[in-house]
Amino acid sequence: MEETSKVILGLRSGSSFSIPERHQIIREMLSSNCTKRQIWKKYTGQDEEHGHLLRWMRELGYSTEFSSRRITFGRNISL
């Protein structure tokens, strides 16, 4: 069965999301160029996410290393 992304309708509090919904939200965050704040606002309407997404990632077994998404400016890599 092919898994498709679906929009979770309705603005809700962070604690009201089911485990599959939390996985979907985290996967969207990791696969997009959106910030945690942008993803949180999209699904809850709240400006501050207060570490919920990072907590969910830890609880659900995702890597919390974001080094691949960070851009380092001014670094000379041609030594």
Side-chain angles (χ1 to χ4, degrees):
M1 175 185 233
E2 183 179 322
E3 183 177 328
T4 59
S5 177
K6 66 175 183 170
V7 175
I8 300 168
L9 300 175
L11 302 179
R12 301 165 18 190
S13 70
S15 61
S16 68
F17 290 103
S18 68
I19 298 299
E21 290 171 331
R22 291 177 186 196
H23 279 287
Q24 178 187 337
I25 292 168
I26 292 168
R27 284 193 304 264
E28 180 178 340
M29 180 184 69
L30 293 174
S31 66
S32 71
N33 289 324
C34 294
T35 64
K36 290 186 290 182
R37 177 179 261 175
Q38 291 168 326
I39 294 292
W40 190 253
K41 180 142 179 123
K42 175 181 177 180
Y43 288 100
T44 67
Q46 301 168 358
D47 289 324
E48 299 291 328
E49 62 96 18
H50 301 287
H52 283 88
L53 295 174
L54 191 58
R55 193 173 319 115
W56 290 356
M57 290 177 71
R58 288 180 180 137
E59 290 171 358
L60 299 173
Y62 289 88
S63 171
T64 56
E65 295 295 321
F66 288 99
S67 60
S68 63
R69 293 183 60 184
R70 292 187 181 148
I71 298 172
T72 305
F73 293 101
R75 183 175 175 201
N76 185 359
I77 59 173
S78 59
L79 300 172

